[in-house]
Amino acid sequence: DVQLQASGGGLVQAGGSLRLSCAASGFTLDDYAIGWFRQASGMEREGISCIKGGNTYYYGSMKDRFTMSSDNAKNTVYLQMGSVTPEDTAVYYCAADRFSCSNWYLQYDYWGQGTQVTVSS
């Protein structure tokens, strides 16, 4: 079965860095579009980035600070977060779609449980 597990979140001070991981199982990572999303308390879930077929797309203002990458050998994708601010505080999710990248979360078929990132001032 298709499963995704996001991890790597935690408490970090403003200006710091954090690397999130999304481990995929039950499918070959390279056959899917894998997206990163986040949802802050009381806010809509927003797209951060997506990788598919060697192409990476960024959807938000954080694109100057966040970098997405993949390791097909480990069946894992990553989100490197740099220069974080309190506005980055959110639950971060990874998601998979069989067909293509999108910044609209409802287009994705499979979701991990998410990992909490909290940025202190």
Side-chain angles (χ1 to χ4, degrees), residues 55-71:
N55 296 314
T56 307
Y57 309 90
Y58 297 91
Y59 300 121
S61 60
M62 70 290 292
K63 64 184 178 182
D64 294 329
R65 300 180 291 111
F66 293 3
T67 301
M68 186 175 186
S69 62
S70 64
D71 186 338

Side-chain angles (χ1 to χ4, degrees), residues 3-11 17-24 34-37 74-81 90-95 111-118:
Q3 291 187 326
L4 296 165
Q5 181 62 58
S7 63
L11 178 64
S17 299
L18 202 64
R19 174 169 284 192
L20 307 183
S21 299
C22 176
I34 309 297
W36 281 103
F37 293 80
K74 295 183 178 180
N75 225 34
T76 300
V77 300
Y78 305 93
L79 185 68
Q80 181 68 46
M81 305 168 58
V91 178
Y92 285 71
Y93 300 90
C94 57
W111 290 85
Q113 290 296 109
T115 184
Q116 175 73 48
V117 173
T118 302

Side-chain angles (χ1 to χ4, degrees), residues 33-54:
I34 309 297
W36 281 103
F37 293 80
R38 71 183 186 185
Q39 188 165 18
S41 180
M43 303 295 289
E44 292 276 353
R45 188 168 298 185
E46 65 174 332
I48 300 168
S49 60
C50 182
I51 189 165
K52 177 70 170 65

